[in-house]
Amino acid sequence: MRVHKNLMGIALATTAMSFSLAGGALANDDVQGLISDSKNWAIQTGDYANTRYSKLNKITKDNVKNLQVAWTFSTGVLRGHEGGPLIVGDVMYVHAPFPNTVYALDLNNDGKILWRYEPKQDPNVIPIMCCDTVNRGVAYGDGKIFLYQADTTLVALDAKTGKVAWSVKNAEVIDGSKGESGTSAPMVVKDKVIVGISGGEFGVRGSLTAYNIADGKQAWRAWSMGSDKETLIDPEKTTHLGKPVGADSGTNTWEGDQWKIGGGTTWGWYSYDPKLNLIYYGTGNPSTWNPSQRPGDNRWSMTIMARDADTGMAKWLYQMTPHDEWDYDGVNEMILADGIEIEGKPRDVLVHFDRNGFAYTMDRATGELLVAKKYDPAVNWATEVDMDKDSKTYGRPKVVDKYSTQVQGEDVNTTGICPAALGTKDQQPAAYSPKTKLFYVPTNHVCMDYEPYKVNYTAGQPYVGATLSMYPAPNSHGGMGNFIAWDAAKGEIVWSKPEQFSVWSGALATDGDVVFYGTLEGYLKAVDKDGKELYKFKTPSGIIGNVTTYEHKGKQYVAVLSGVGGWAGIGLAAGLLAPENATAWHGAVDQGRAQGDEAAVIGTAGLGAVGGYAALADYTTLGGQLTVFTVPE
């Protein structure tokens, strides 16, 4: 690894950052203090509750129409740009997809580069990154910037200089030979930094790991499946829908040793409740995508987990999609909202918009399931979630046989399943406004055909076992996305704004009564609390990054990364619209299975997304740019 150093003698002009902490235990206080000052954007999710809400209000529903570009910055990388910049005091930290370059920019000096860090990584990591070479951003704490590289190396960089303080290998190997990769944003909690793992499509067994921020030593690791000791589950004290999970819950719903390659990876977002000292996150799909090869509920894939931040011990779990048959990863963010009135009683809740098309409202202290409703009316794979506490199937979805890939069987193309595997929402985070008590959700309005087939497991090789095609949901007039407002107490859509393509960016809600999001064509859009469009501006490339805001020298700014890619944009990002590239992709993934003529080969490449989003190439192209907006004086 190497560090490029520019202007190392310049002192960062900021009083908000504290580089002289007495010890790691104070790091959380430091981060919490920075978060509480809305001038900063000191954590990828805006706050520990994942609300993506800012108290800044100088940009309002009345003046947002006057937004102009203040400045731009190129990352120098042409792949999918997820996540967003951090703003800590007078310094902005910008990240890029592989090779995961990090830049520190001086906001007092026209965004001058204070330092850059470009890790050296084995390029063999690139082909094992399922759905583009994305990275969801860096974290700050204890005077350090934490970068989680594609090869799963977690690096602590001195925030003033960019020098490496320590680094640690999170996966078993970092050369891609086991299929492990890193795409998630770390989260600093108290004296620890939390990271997950990617690679469910390669049979990687998921885990969440905490490292001491002072020296990088592992504090705890909680596996998604395995023995009670490995999963950090107490058979008597850890509950699922209010009942103890019992012994061996992480292995006894798997056949034999399949849990060892069980998936359940943890590449989404993490939240934290300081009062309860609980970390919340979701686990991904079980491996393989062929459900006939892994009978049972496949616990604890597809699960919301609440764990003690100090020890990693699980307090409660909830499996949303037992025996997943559709690749409905459960990794989407957990949003923590206080005082949501349900049945006349205010509750402190966790709200989760799952890939499976259901939005869940839960008591975040106990894991009680309060609401579970579809947030896209097109969802058809299940009729509802059983909410009868006296039922044997309480909390389980009521699956429709017509859309069950298990019931229809291996080598059968089950058609018309809604949503598609990329879900009613993928990892693109929603926002919550405590002013309106509404959640603002970027969604996909996409369905699929799904044909599972038998595959063999080889370490480091794709372990998928399904061919997919994707297309707009019926009666949607070709639109593939909606930006919606959601009432989590009632489980109802308040309003829905259609978009031509899936809304793949993270949302932002502000005290100025403006909600922002980006589109795959590249537009930054602003709407009011009723969904009325107030402003739009087309950036150089499609937006899959998350909109952020900050204040500097008395002015409020809005910032977003553009650079089309991710799963929806993989056709453009990886060049899979070209027949020869699509053929090569299938050759690497399908274990010799024939995929038909040229149109079929292209259409089903990228796990089905290439054909579904082929028209995106008519509206945008590759890019890698940060665009910063403000209202001129």
Side-chain angles (χ1 to χ4, degrees):
M1 300 179 181
R2 67 178 185 274
V3 180
H4 297 288
K5 296 177 285 185
N6 286 347
L7 307 174
M8 300 301 284
I10 295 180
L12 300 185
T14 175
T15 59
M17 289 166 43
S18 173
F19 298 114
S20 57
L21 297 175
L26 299 178
N28 185 62
D29 295 335
D30 181 40
V31 174
Q32 187 60 65
L34 292 167
I35 291 171
S36 63
D37 183 350
S38 295
K39 295 178 181 179
N40 302 300
W41 192 271
I43 185 173
Q44 286 292 329
T45 52
D47 53 31
Y48 278 126
N50 274 310
T51 64
R52 298 192 54 77
Y53 175 80
S54 173
K55 294 179 182 178
L56 297 180
N57 56 19
K58 293 184 178 181
I59 296 174
T60 69
K61 61 182 177 58
D62 297 316
N63 67 17
V64 70
K65 62 181 180 293
N66 299 321
L67 268 187
Q68 293 182 9
V69 175
W71 57 280
T72 62
F73 179 79
S74 172
T75 67
V77 183
L78 297 178
R79 289 296 290 253
H81 283 60
E82 291 183 348
L86 292 187
I87 298 90
V88 181
D90 296 328
V91 181
M92 176 183 285
Y93 300 95
V94 181
H95 72 285
F98 189 93
N100 306 138
T101 313
V102 180
Y103 301 90
L105 308 180
D106 185 354
L107 297 179
N108 286 327
N109 194 9
D110 295 327
K112 201 166 190 177
I113 300 172
L114 294 167
W115 55 259
R116 62 166 63 88
Y117 174 78
E118 184 177 345
K120 281 287 189 182
Q121 301 184 68
D122 192 321
N124 287 328
V125 172
I126 295 175
I128 66 164
M129 299 185 77
C130 156
C131 309
D132 203 7
T133 59
V134 297
N135 181 284
R136 296 184 185 93
V138 295
Y140 170 81
D142 192 26
K144 301 179 181 73
I145 293 294
F146 297 95
L147 167 67
Y148 188 38
Q149 297 175 182
D151 66 3
T152 79
T153 301
L154 177 65
V155 183
L157 305 170
D158 186 289
K160 288 188 293 186
T161 66
K163 291 183 177 180
V164 175
W166 54 258
S167 68
V168 64
K169 181 175 68 174
N170 188 48
E172 185 178 348
V173 295
I174 62 173
D175 62 2
S177 61
K178 297 287 187 179
E180 304 151 303
S181 60
T183 59
S184 56
M187 182 178 71
V188 170
V189 174
K190 300 175 81 171
D191 60 345
K192 298 176 179 65
V193 55
I194 310 296
V195 294
I197 194 79
S198 302
E201 280 60 59
F202 292 79
V204 171
R205 181 167 60 129
S207 61
L208 193 76
T209 307
Y211 294 95
N212 296 328
I213 61 175
D215 55 16
K217 291 182 179 179
Q218 187 179 124
W220 53 259
R221 170 167 289 171
W223 295 91
S224 299
M225 57 277 300
S227 68
D228 294 337
K229 182 178 180 180
E230 288 180 308
T231 57
L232 301 185
I233 288 175
D234 185 314
E236 301 302 323
K237 295 181 179 179
T238 303
T239 61
H240 180 264
L241 296 175
K243 297 180 179 179
V245 297
D248 305 317
S249 64
T251 58
N252 62 18
T253 64
W254 293 85
E255 190 173 77
D257 289 340
Q258 284 188 324
W259 58 268
K260 293 181 179 180
I261 52 172
T265 49
T266 50
W267 50 270
W269 303 94
Y270 322 122
S271 54
Y272 172 60
D273 184 331
K275 293 180 180 178
L276 298 173
N277 198 36
L278 292 178
I279 293 170
Y280 305 91
Y281 66 102
T283 62
N285 59 284
S287 300
T288 123
W289 288 21
N290 180 359
S292 298
Q293 288 187 240
R294 44 171 176 77
D297 278 358
N298 308 137
R299 289 182 170 180
W300 293 102
S301 67
M302 313 299 295
T303 298
I304 297 173
M305 296 193 166
R307 294 186 177 275
D308 183 274
D310 297 322
T311 65
M313 288 296 298
K315 180 175 183 181
W316 60 261
L317 313 168
Y318 170 54
Q319 188 178 39
M320 298 163 289
T321 315
H323 187 61
D324 172 40
E325 307 169 36
W326 309 270
D327 183 46
Y328 291 152
D329 286 73
V331 302
N332 292 353
E333 74 285 354
M334 313 296 162
I335 302 174
L336 312 183
D338 295 340
I340 299 295
E341 191 168 301
I342 298 175
E343 297 182 349
K345 180 181 178 182
R347 305 290 290 263
D348 291 345
V349 300
L350 173 155
V351 177
H352 171 73
F353 299 93
D354 197 65
R355 286 252 294 265
N356 70 13
F358 286 87
Y360 300 86
T361 304
M362 308 186 71
D363 185 295
R364 66 177 186 259
T366 66
E368 179 185 355
L369 182 61
L370 304 172
V371 180
K373 293 288 186 179
K374 298 176 183 179
Y375 62 105
D376 184 342
V379 173
N380 64 13
W381 68 276
T383 56
E384 62 183 350
V385 173
D386 188 346
M387 297 297 289
D388 181 358
K389 292 184 179 180
D390 295 325
S391 170
K392 292 182 180 180
T393 58
Y394 171 52
R396 296 177 73 98
K398 296 181 180 180
V399 176
V400 177
D401 286 354
K402 178 181 177 180
Y403 303 114
S404 166
T405 66
Q406 173 77 44
V407 171
Q408 299 305 314
E410 211 169 68
D411 299 318
V412 174
N413 190 28
T414 302
T415 62
I417 305 168
C418 304
L422 44 67
T424 299
K425 189 179 82 64
D426 199 85
Q427 61 76 37
Q428 62 270 35
Y432 169 69
S433 170
K435 289 183 70 175
T436 65
K437 299 285 187 178
L438 295 178
F439 295 77
Y440 301 97
V441 191
T443 72
N444 313 313
H445 192 55
V446 184
C447 302
M448 68 175 172
D449 300 342
Y450 189 115
E451 182 177 355
Y453 57 88
K454 188 175 182 178
V455 286
N456 298 311
Y457 173 76
T458 302
Q461 299 301 309
Y463 188 50
V464 179
T467 298
L468 279 64
S469 300
M470 299 185 187
Y471 40 83
N475 305 314
S476 58
H477 308 290
M480 300 180 74
N482 296 281
F483 189 71
I484 71 170
W486 178 259
D487 184 328
K490 298 178 179 178
E492 295 178 354
I493 297 173
V494 178
W495 53 256
S496 180
K497 185 177 182 297
E499 290 288 351
Q500 181 173 1
F501 297 102
S502 296
V503 185
W504 209 269
S505 85
L508 168 71
T510 71
D511 189 58
D513 298 320
V514 183
V515 180
F516 294 92
Y517 66 97
T519 74
L520 277 172
E521 305 101 297
Y523 284 105
L524 173 74
K525 292 191 175 185
V527 299
D528 67 14
K529 63 181 180 179
D530 298 316
K532 178 184 176 183
E533 189 170 296
L534 304 173
Y535 173 82
K536 69 176 182 179
F537 178 90
K538 194 168 188 182
T539 65
S541 185
I543 297 175
I544 65 170
N546 304 331
V547 189
T548 58
T549 190
Y550 66 97
E551 184 178 310
H552 185 248
K553 293 185 176 179
K555 295 187 71 173
Q556 183 181 353
Y557 295 85
V558 173
V560 67
L561 286 167
S562 61
V564 71
W567 193 354
I570 193 65
L572 279 170
L576 297 182
L577 290 166
E580 62 275 17
N581 293 340
T583 299
W585 183 90
H586 281 292
V589 172
D590 296 338
Q591 298 190 3
R593 183 179 174 86
Q595 296 297 337
D597 60 17
E598 182 177 290
V601 167
I602 294 174
T604 57
L607 302 173
V610 175
Y613 293 85
L616 187 57
D618 295 333
Y619 294 87
T620 192
T621 188
L622 298 180
Q625 178 174 301
L626 175 76
T627 307
V628 182
F629 302 81
T630 194
V631 174
E633 296 177 354

